[in-house]
Amino acid sequence: SFSNDQGWKPDLQPQPAQTSDHLRNVIRQLGAVLGDVIREEDGEKVFQQIEELRQASVAFHRNSGDGADTRLAERLAQLSVKDAVRFAHSFACFLQITNIAEDHVQRHREGTPNEWPDTLAGALRSLKEEGTGVEQVVELLGRGLIVPVLTAHPSEVRRKSVIDRQAAIGQGLQDLEDTDTADQRAAIETEIKRQVAIFWRTRLLRGFKINVTDEIDTTVSYFERSFLPEIPHLYARWERQLGQLGGLASFLRVGSWVGGDRDGNPYVTAPVMRHALQTQSRAILGRYLDQVHALGAELSLSSALVAVTPELSALADKSGDGSPQRADEPYRRAISGIYARLAKTYETLLGEPAPRPAVLPAETYAGAVDLKADLQTVLTSLTKTHGALFASGPLPDLIRAVDVFGFHLATLDMRQNSAVHGRVANELFKAAGFPKDYEKLSEDERCDLLVSELSHSRLLASPFATYSEETRRELDTLSAAAEIVRRFGPEAIRAYIISNTQSVSDLLEVYLMLKEVGLYRPGEKAPTTIFSEPLFETIADLRASQATMTRYLSLPLIKNLLKQTGVQEIMIGYSDSNKDGSYLTSIWELHKASRGLLKTVSDAGLNLQFFHGRGGAVGRGGGSSFEALLAQPRGTVNGRVRVTEQGEVIANKYGDPVLARQSLETLAAGVVLASLQKRDGHLPAATGETMDQLSQASMAAYRALVYETKGFVDYFYASTPITEIADLNIGSRPTSRQSTRSIEGLRAIPWVFSWSQTRTMLPGWYGFGSAAAKLDRARLKDIYQTWPFFQTTLANMEMVLAKADISISKRYSELVPDRKLADTVFGAIRAEFDRTIEILLDITGQSALLDKNPELAATIRSRLPYIDPLNHLQVEFIRRRRAGDDAEAVREGIHLTINGIAAGLRNAG
């Protein structure tokens, strides 16, 4: 199927071969429905035109060669703009239909979860074979933390309306398989066709630029659709498998950056951050109210027929529910009181009445822990009287939800660039009368000053001083954070991530700012609940990370600060390190930094928790989370990990409740195996030396092209749809950190996304061929055979190369006005492409890409006849646009092809 650990849906294991027939049947079924809709809605002539071009593209891929690609491109170029736009829309729709079929087939593995290695049951089976018992898994999870963190990074090109229609069609497919009667099947088939018709007539493109509040609402919709219902079900399953009914720690939680990530996004402000928590809290409290109301309707047990605990009786009496109808129903009276307090909490936290107001007066819950205690009182009484009958079900699930989601739903991270903090600190010191310019101090002087300021309670900010807009905005946002923590609890915000961390002072500056709003309190036993955390992302910063953290953790102030948790979280970034130095160098530097940071943090007497900043594409750390966790250096996982979920990956993994459950279980299984599986954690010195040589040569080749080739930035902007992507309404954040055109200032997402659109996929492989050509091939083969890290690295690279098409890439190079520049740059790219494939096949022992993974190879081949024409059309549309054709249809055509290609590649950003 499409779903596999190296391809379209990167976090799930491959489907068995027999499901491929099922997948093809579902694709044909939906394709036929779409064809019928096109014929009925647009007429036979339009249908035949689309079908003729579809068959021509399929035929080309079956019998390529002899200039067939050129003839296909010429045929597409002859279409009128109107017909070309309609054709782009149809193929984009078909690729979305294919994704629906893939997701539908993937759901079928839910029926046999114990058979899959990337489930907790599969992990327990593997560990049992090694002699590791269940009790060790329970102990690990008891001190563990696993958090997928949803971000608003813009690589999701689909509108929410499109995603909703896809979900409706997918539900129809499931309903069709769940019914047996002919009448029901006919009705469901009609409903599927109706949904496909709506989908066909739904605008695929957003008509306006989305803002941060749109991103917040979309993110919360994923929480509501999948995380809130499925996480309690997962815990119930895991408790049964581990024999820990009601006793398993809540190690799996959820996080968000949406509304808290200010790095390069001027639209994330104090009001926006308040809106994020308001929206999250409204969703979770509303769900609690519905579930408590349902429990009140269900628990009609009479005190004349059943005994209750004294605690439950007291809770019922305290509720104030004097209704004679419930006089002998203590559970209902207790729940009436819980509901009333919860409704009052809703009103207090959100400033608006609950959707279903309570009839009883009540006090606000001080925190989620108090709500959990009341619910636990009800459950304890039920289980003491009825035993295991009530040990699972809606009440234990609700208690688990309260424990996991609290009143905040998802923990919001704050993030900002270190350069901003430096400027704010400089202004604060200057306004407070500090005689020297903070920004001109040495690193030692900065640290001494910051430590001194953090040792006392005097504030720097003054209401009488005049500050820049940037400083006022930062202080306002921090004040909002303080308010959020007071209202929604300490779990609402826990981490302040510092992008571009280069020094100890970068970390200390955050505490200085937190102090200004009362979130850092000198002299107290627990001076903060929000922790300053580094993000190391460039190659240089990764290499310096161990020295930076060694010095930071040696400060007495920090030693005292971290005593309360015993954990130091460090975020490592995959995107910028890749853009900085090549895929291979990025992966290797991250691996080395992880090993070094583990030693540094352990030597400081602390536990290390990594936060992996991964994107969807391989060039941004994408690929299987399961395989990536197993490839981590031994000891660096140890039950605790956070990982970003970005762009199109969120909908692919969490847009459907069943797929969300599978994805979360995959993450948990990976953490358990990476932490407890017996494997040699020693990296032979010779292997490390070989990887260093390979990495250095790869980075040199990559930088020679990207940073040292004169005119490369012009080639990139001319040969890719980067400027057209910037015009897409797919995110609130600007595509570049700087106003000037440069690779350094460009964000990693549009960098990777642009190369994906041209099918060059350069960030996922460039530099490896040149590097490997300089090393002993037998040595590389030996490393590949024995080291999972290298196997995973090459598997991801192989998948990228299989999706690439250098002949299509050449067509994009023809958009470059400077032909000499185009020939020079594309010539280097083509030579490296051929070299990389030849060497990779030799190392892996294959005659063609994906020889050892025929299912994935077949999947990619099946999509290409629908992706390639969109590439050809995109080139023509871009050519027209850049020649001065400002027609809206041309712009729409460009954006439709971007949409369709992204849908076809699936993990393109």
Side-chain angles (χ1 to χ4, degrees), residues 161-342:
S161 297
V162 172
I163 294 172
D164 289 344
R165 295 284 63 72
Q166 289 178 289
I169 296 168
Q171 184 60 55
L173 291 173
Q174 190 60 52
D175 293 343
L176 200 60
E177 292 196 357
D178 292 342
T179 191
D180 295 325
T181 69
D183 286 347
Q184 288 177 332
R185 287 185 64 84
I188 294 169
E189 286 170 352
T190 299
E191 175 60 17
I192 290 174
K193 187 172 182 178
R194 188 177 76 87
Q195 291 295 339
V196 170
I198 297 172
F199 174 59
W200 172 245
R201 288 305 190 199
T202 295
R203 176 170 37 84
L204 297 181
L205 306 172
R206 295 186 183 93
F208 58 90
K209 185 83 170 176
I210 64 173
N211 56 40
V212 186
T213 56
D214 295 323
E215 292 170 337
I216 291 167
D217 293 343
T218 298
T219 301
V220 171
S221 75
Y222 287 117
F223 288 136
E224 291 180 302
R225 179 184 299 171
S226 297
F227 289 84
L228 299 189
E230 295 307 323
I231 284 181
H233 293 164
L234 262 179
Y235 275 110
R237 175 195 288 179
W238 291 337
E239 286 186 337
R240 291 191 298 271
Q241 292 171 347
L242 294 168
Q244 295 290 312
L245 211 58
L248 189 62
S250 294
F251 60 90
L252 175 65
R253 298 177 180 272
V254 293
S256 175
W257 274 15
V258 188
D261 179 10
R262 310 193 308 287
D263 181 18
N265 193 339
Y267 308 113
V268 177
T269 60
V272 165
M273 195 155 71
R274 292 189 187 96
H275 176 74
L277 264 298
Q278 289 271 123
T279 306
Q280 291 181 188
S281 184
R282 183 179 293 108
I284 192 60
L285 291 176
R287 185 173 181 84
Y288 292 162
L289 285 167
D290 288 344
Q291 292 181 328
V292 170
H293 180 75
L295 282 170
E298 178 182 278
L299 295 179
S300 55
L301 295 83
S302 170
S303 57
L305 301 173
V306 66
V308 299
T309 62
E311 292 80 7
L312 187 282
S313 182
L315 187 62
D317 293 342
K318 190 171 67 173
S319 71
D321 185 354
S323 170
Q325 295 177 338
R326 292 184 289 276
D328 69 331
E329 295 175 341
Y331 287 106
R332 278 184 165 168
R333 287 192 292 117
I335 289 172
S336 292
I338 293 172
Y339 186 92
R341 292 192 69 183
L342 193 55

Side-chain angles (χ1 to χ4, degrees), residues 32 41 74 106 111 155 234 260 310 315 339 367 395 408 540 556 558 679 695 749 777 779 820 837 879:
E41 296 272 339
E74 290 172 350
Q106 181 63 42
S155 57
L234 262 179
L315 187 62
Y339 186 92
L395 180 53
H408 61 286
I558 300 305
R679 54 194 173 107
S695 172
I749 292 173
R777 195 73 56 85
R779 175 68 180 140
K820 183 177 180 182
I837 291 178
R879 197 189 306 279

Side-chain angles (χ1 to χ4, degrees), residues 446-676:
R446 285 191 186 194
C447 289
D448 290 344
L449 176 59
L450 291 166
V451 169
S452 174
E453 286 298 319
L454 291 171
S455 65
H456 60 73
S457 299
R458 185 186 68 238
L459 301 181
L460 292 172
S462 167
F464 305 107
T466 301
Y467 299 107
S468 67
E469 180 184 352
E470 179 180 66
T471 294
R472 290 197 307 272
R473 185 172 62 243
E474 292 303 305
L475 292 177
D476 286 347
T477 305
L478 285 161
S479 295
E483 175 191 328
I484 286 167
V485 169
R486 286 193 298 270
R487 290 174 64 193
F488 299 102
E491 291 299 319
I493 303 174
R494 294 289 291 173
Y496 193 124
I497 309 295
I498 308 156
S499 300
N500 196 32
T501 301
Q502 297 179 330
S503 63
V504 173
S505 62
D506 290 338
L507 290 155
L508 296 176
E509 285 164 359
V510 167
Y511 287 120
L512 181 77
M513 295 167 63
L514 292 173
K515 176 187 164 188
E516 292 298 314
V517 296
L519 286 171
Y520 174 87
R521 300 168 298 279
E524 296 196 17
K525 186 176 181 181
T528 187
T529 57
I530 297 178
F531 293 88
S532 175
E533 298 181 355
L535 167 51
F536 299 114
E537 45 194 337
T538 67
I539 299 297
D541 292 346
L542 285 166
R543 289 173 175 172
S545 61
Q546 192 173 356
T548 300
M549 293 307 297
T550 297
R551 183 177 181 189
Y552 176 70
L553 295 176
S554 69
L555 295 173
L557 175 86
I558 300 305
K559 287 181 179 180
N560 179 62
L561 185 68
L562 294 175
K563 277 182 182 178
Q564 57 183 302
T565 63
V567 175
Q568 173 64 59
E569 178 170 271
I570 297 173
M571 186 171 186
I572 50 177
Y574 292 70
S575 301
D576 284 345
S577 56
N578 181 293
K579 185 165 70 73
D580 198 29
S582 84
Y583 167 65
L584 184 77
T585 301
S586 169
I587 293 296
W588 177 234
E589 290 295 340
L590 285 160
H591 190 87
K592 288 199 299 181
S594 298
R595 287 177 175 272
L597 288 167
L598 174 62
K599 183 179 187 307
T600 295
V601 174
S602 298
D603 288 348
L606 299 166
N607 294 312
L608 174 63
Q609 178 175 299
F610 272 123
F611 185 7
H612 295 271
R614 306 172 77 231
V618 167
R620 296 185 51 245
S624 165
S625 293
F626 183 71
E627 297 294 341
L629 284 164
L630 297 185
Q632 291 300 306
R634 183 162 180 78
T636 58
V637 178
N638 199 23
R640 303 184 69 91
V641 70
R642 293 205 299 154
V643 59
T644 56
E645 303 285 16
Q646 304 181 10
E648 78 282 2
V649 171
I650 295 175
N652 292 346
K653 291 169 61 175
Y654 303 113
D656 175 87
V658 174
L659 296 181
R661 186 159 67 241
Q662 292 176 7
S663 297
L664 291 168
E665 177 136 31
T666 291
L667 189 60
V671 169
V672 168
L673 285 174
S675 303
L676 296 177

Side-chain angles (χ1 to χ4, degrees), residues 110-145:
E110 186 66 15
T112 55
N114 294 345
E115 296 179 7
W116 297 91
D118 58 342
T119 62
L120 187 61
L124 291 174
R125 186 168 57 250
S126 297
L127 291 172
K128 183 179 180 181
E129 292 172 357
E130 295 181 348
T132 300
V134 171
E135 63 281 357
Q136 291 170 270
V137 176
V138 172
E139 188 277 330
L140 174 79
L141 297 178
R143 55 181 168 80
L145 181 69

